[in-house]
Amino acid sequence: MYTALRATSRTLSKFLETSFLADPLLSGFFGGGMVVSLATPQEMNEKPAEGLSVWLYRIIRDEQRLNDPAVRISATELRPPPLPVRLHYLMTPVTNEQTGDPETEQLMLGKVLQAFYSHSVLRGADLQAEFSGTEVELKVRLEPLTLEEITRVWEALDGSYQLSVSYEVSVVNIMPEA
Protein backbone atom coordinates (compact mmCIF):
# COMPACT_ATOMS: atom_id res chain seq x y z
CA MET A 1 0.00 0.00 0.00
CA TYR A 2 1.66 3.20 -1.17
CA THR A 3 -0.67 5.21 1.07
CA ALA A 4 1.17 4.04 4.21
CA LEU A 5 2.96 7.38 4.62
CA ARG A 6 -0.30 9.30 4.70
CA ALA A 7 -1.95 6.75 6.98
CA THR A 8 0.96 6.99 9.42
CA SER A 9 0.84 10.79 9.45
CA ARG A 10 -2.93 10.80 10.00
CA THR A 11 -2.59 8.25 12.81
CA LEU A 12 0.02 10.35 14.62
CA SER A 13 -1.87 13.62 14.22
CA LYS A 14 -5.21 12.15 15.37
CA PHE A 15 -3.57 10.45 18.37
CA LEU A 16 -1.95 13.73 19.44
CA GLU A 17 -5.11 15.76 18.85
CA THR A 18 -7.07 13.32 21.04
CA SER A 19 -4.37 13.55 23.72
CA PHE A 20 -4.49 17.36 23.69
CA LEU A 21 -8.29 17.48 23.86
CA ALA A 22 -8.32 15.07 26.82
CA ASP A 23 -5.82 17.19 28.78
CA PRO A 24 -7.34 19.86 31.07
CA LEU A 25 -4.48 22.32 30.48
CA LEU A 26 -4.53 22.01 26.67
CA SER A 27 -8.15 21.25 25.82
CA GLY A 28 -9.05 24.95 25.85
CA PHE A 29 -6.40 25.68 23.24
CA PHE A 30 -7.19 22.74 20.96
CA GLY A 31 -10.94 23.02 21.43
CA GLY A 32 -10.65 26.73 20.68
CA GLY A 33 -8.85 26.95 17.37
CA MET A 34 -5.44 25.31 17.68
CA VAL A 35 -4.87 22.34 15.36
CA VAL A 36 -2.54 19.41 14.87
CA SER A 37 -1.30 19.92 11.31
CA LEU A 38 0.86 17.98 8.87
CA ALA A 39 2.14 21.29 7.46
CA THR A 40 5.66 22.53 8.12
CA PRO A 41 6.08 25.06 10.94
CA GLN A 42 6.67 27.78 8.29
CA GLU A 43 3.48 26.88 6.43
CA MET A 44 1.54 27.10 9.69
CA ASN A 45 3.06 30.53 10.41
CA GLU A 46 2.15 31.77 6.92
CA LYS A 47 -1.53 30.67 7.07
CA PRO A 48 -1.56 31.74 10.04
CA ALA A 49 -2.46 28.68 12.06
CA GLU A 50 -1.65 27.73 15.63
CA GLY A 51 -1.07 24.37 17.20
CA LEU A 52 1.37 21.55 16.61
CA SER A 53 3.19 20.89 13.36
CA VAL A 54 3.72 17.14 12.80
CA TRP A 55 6.03 17.38 9.81
CA LEU A 56 7.38 14.31 8.02
CA TYR A 57 10.89 15.47 7.14
CA ARG A 58 12.82 12.29 6.40
CA ILE A 59 12.19 8.78 5.08
CA ILE A 60 14.87 6.09 5.20
CA ARG A 61 14.93 2.38 4.41
CA ASP A 62 14.93 0.04 7.38
CA GLU A 63 18.26 -1.72 7.06
CA GLN A 64 17.20 -4.57 9.37
CA ARG A 65 14.36 -5.75 7.13
CA LEU A 66 15.53 -4.62 3.72
CA ASN A 67 16.51 -8.12 2.57
CA ASP A 68 13.35 -9.95 3.62
CA PRO A 69 12.60 -12.84 1.24
CA ALA A 70 9.91 -12.70 -1.42
CA VAL A 71 6.46 -13.93 -0.45
CA ARG A 72 5.05 -16.96 -2.27
CA ILE A 73 1.47 -16.18 -3.32
CA SER A 74 0.95 -19.34 -5.40
CA ALA A 75 2.92 -22.36 -6.58
CA THR A 76 4.32 -20.35 -9.49
CA GLU A 77 4.28 -16.75 -8.26
CA LEU A 78 6.45 -14.76 -5.89
CA ARG A 79 5.66 -11.26 -4.72
CA PRO A 80 8.54 -9.00 -3.73
CA PRO A 81 8.60 -8.17 -0.03
CA PRO A 82 7.37 -4.76 1.06
CA LEU A 83 9.82 -1.86 1.22
CA PRO A 84 10.35 -1.25 4.96
CA VAL A 85 10.88 2.41 5.86
CA ARG A 86 11.40 4.50 8.96
CA LEU A 87 9.67 7.85 9.08
CA HIS A 88 11.09 10.87 10.90
CA TYR A 89 8.74 13.56 12.17
CA LEU A 90 9.54 16.97 13.59
CA MET A 91 7.03 18.00 16.27
CA THR A 92 6.96 21.80 16.58
CA PRO A 93 4.51 23.94 18.56
CA VAL A 94 3.43 27.01 16.59
CA THR A 95 1.84 29.93 18.40
CA ASN A 96 1.22 33.58 17.58
CA GLU A 97 1.84 36.71 19.60
CA GLN A 98 -1.70 36.93 21.03
CA THR A 99 -2.08 33.42 22.46
CA GLY A 100 1.41 32.02 22.27
CA ASP A 101 4.22 32.12 24.70
CA PRO A 102 7.09 29.81 25.64
CA GLU A 103 5.01 28.23 28.41
CA THR A 104 2.24 27.17 25.99
CA GLU A 105 4.82 25.73 23.59
CA GLN A 106 6.49 23.84 26.43
CA LEU A 107 3.11 22.50 27.58
CA MET A 108 2.42 21.18 24.07
CA LEU A 109 5.81 19.50 23.72
CA GLY A 110 5.57 18.09 27.24
CA LYS A 111 2.25 16.49 26.31
CA VAL A 112 3.75 15.06 23.09
CA LEU A 113 6.61 13.54 25.09
CA GLN A 114 4.22 12.14 27.70
CA ALA A 115 1.77 10.75 25.13
CA PHE A 116 4.38 8.88 23.10
CA TYR A 117 6.29 7.73 26.19
CA SER A 118 3.11 6.27 27.68
CA HIS A 119 1.85 4.90 24.38
CA SER A 120 4.88 4.09 22.21
CA VAL A 121 3.10 1.53 20.02
CA LEU A 122 0.05 2.66 18.04
CA ARG A 123 -2.29 -0.15 16.96
CA GLY A 124 -5.94 -1.15 16.82
CA ALA A 125 -8.27 1.77 17.55
CA ASP A 126 -5.35 4.24 17.35
CA LEU A 127 -4.92 3.58 13.61
CA GLN A 128 -6.43 5.96 11.08
CA ALA A 129 -7.09 6.10 7.33
CA GLU A 130 -5.99 3.00 5.40
CA PHE A 131 -4.52 1.43 8.56
CA SER A 132 -7.91 1.39 10.30
CA GLY A 133 -9.01 -2.19 10.99
CA THR A 134 -5.61 -3.69 10.14
CA GLU A 135 -2.96 -5.45 12.22
CA VAL A 136 -0.41 -2.66 11.63
CA GLU A 137 1.72 -1.61 14.60
CA LEU A 138 3.57 1.68 14.53
CA LYS A 139 6.45 1.97 16.98
CA VAL A 140 7.15 5.58 17.95
CA ARG A 141 10.42 6.55 19.62
CA LEU A 142 12.01 9.84 20.60
CA GLU A 143 14.94 10.49 18.33
CA PRO A 144 17.83 12.44 19.81
CA LEU A 145 19.25 14.83 17.24
CA THR A 146 22.64 16.47 17.50
CA LEU A 147 22.87 20.24 17.24
CA GLU A 148 24.24 19.84 13.71
CA GLU A 149 21.35 17.60 12.63
CA ILE A 150 18.66 19.88 14.02
CA THR A 151 20.39 22.90 12.49
CA ARG A 152 20.28 21.22 9.06
CA VAL A 153 16.57 20.54 9.44
CA TRP A 154 15.82 24.18 10.28
CA GLU A 155 18.09 25.41 7.47
CA ALA A 156 16.09 23.26 5.05
CA LEU A 157 12.96 24.99 6.33
CA ASP A 158 14.53 28.41 5.70
CA GLY A 159 13.48 29.43 9.17
CA SER A 160 14.93 30.27 12.52
CA TYR A 161 15.12 27.53 15.11
CA GLN A 162 11.98 26.81 17.10
CA LEU A 163 11.57 24.52 20.07
CA SER A 164 10.91 21.05 18.64
CA VAL A 165 11.51 17.32 19.04
CA SER A 166 12.00 14.55 16.53
CA TYR A 167 10.32 11.15 16.55
CA GLU A 168 11.05 8.07 14.47
CA VAL A 169 8.17 5.80 13.47
CA SER A 170 8.97 2.26 12.39
CA VAL A 171 8.51 0.03 10.54
CA VAL A 172 6.15 1.23 7.85
CA ASN A 173 5.79 -1.06 4.84
CA ILE A 174 5.32 0.20 1.30
CA MET A 175 3.75 -2.69 -0.58
CA PRO A 176 4.85 -3.53 -4.13
CA GLU A 177 2.43 -3.11 -7.03
CA ALA A 178 0.28 -6.16 -7.60
Side-chain angles (χ1 to χ4, degrees):
M1 147 181 16
Y2 70 91
T3 59
L5 302 178
R6 179 180 68 183
T8 301
S9 296
R10 286 185 175 175
T11 296
L12 293 176
S13 64
K14 183 64 175 175
F15 174 76
L16 289 170
E17 178 183 11
T18 302
S19 297
F20 289 147
L21 289 170
D23 186 274
L25 292 174
L26 292 168
S27 62
F29 293 114
F30 283 86
M34 284 193 174
V35 297
V36 177
S37 173
L38 301 179
T40 69
Q42 272 60 24
E43 290 168 341
M44 286 184 71
N45 280 323
E46 291 167 6
K47 284 185 182 178
E50 289 187 285
L52 183 75
S53 166
V54 178
W55 178 50
L56 175 60
Y57 73 94
R58 185 175 179 209
I59 302 167
I60 60 170
R61 294 183 308 184
D62 180 58
E63 63 283 346
Q64 304 296 320
R65 297 203 32 233
L66 187 58
N67 293 320
D68 282 355
V71 178
R72 183 167 300 282
I73 55 175
S74 74
T76 59
E77 281 187 88
L78 290 176
R79 181 178 61 214
L83 172 65
V85 294
R86 295 177 181 268
L87 308 179
H88 300 263
Y89 288 87
L90 192 68
M91 310 286 178
T92 308
V94 177
T95 58
N96 67 29
E97 293 174 10
Q98 286 83 20
T99 60
D101 60 47
E103 288 183 17
T104 304
E105 293 174 356
Q106 291 170 22
L107 279 174
M108 280 192 267
L109 275 187
K111 188 61 181 179
V112 169
L113 292 165
Q114 181 188 55
F116 286 138
Y117 179 72
S118 299
H119 205 89
S120 62
V121 178
L122 301 177
R123 64 178 141 223
D126 298 324
L127 301 175
Q128 299 296 312
E130 294 82 2
F131 287 163
S132 184
T134 68
E135 297 296 317
V136 169
E137 285 191 352
L138 301 174
K139 294 176 178 74
V140 183
R141 74 173 187 86
L142 182 62
E143 178 181 38
L145 296 179
T146 66
L147 182 59
E148 181 181 336
E149 290 169 326
I150 195 75
T151 300
R152 275 191 267 144
V153 171
W154 283 101
E155 283 176 3
L157 281 168
D158 271 342
S160 59
Y161 174 79
Q162 289 177 251
L163 182 63
S164 57
V165 293
S166 179
Y167 276 90
E168 179 186 78
V169 179
S170 63
V171 167
V172 176
N173 290 314
I174 307 296
M175 301 305 288
E177 285 189 275

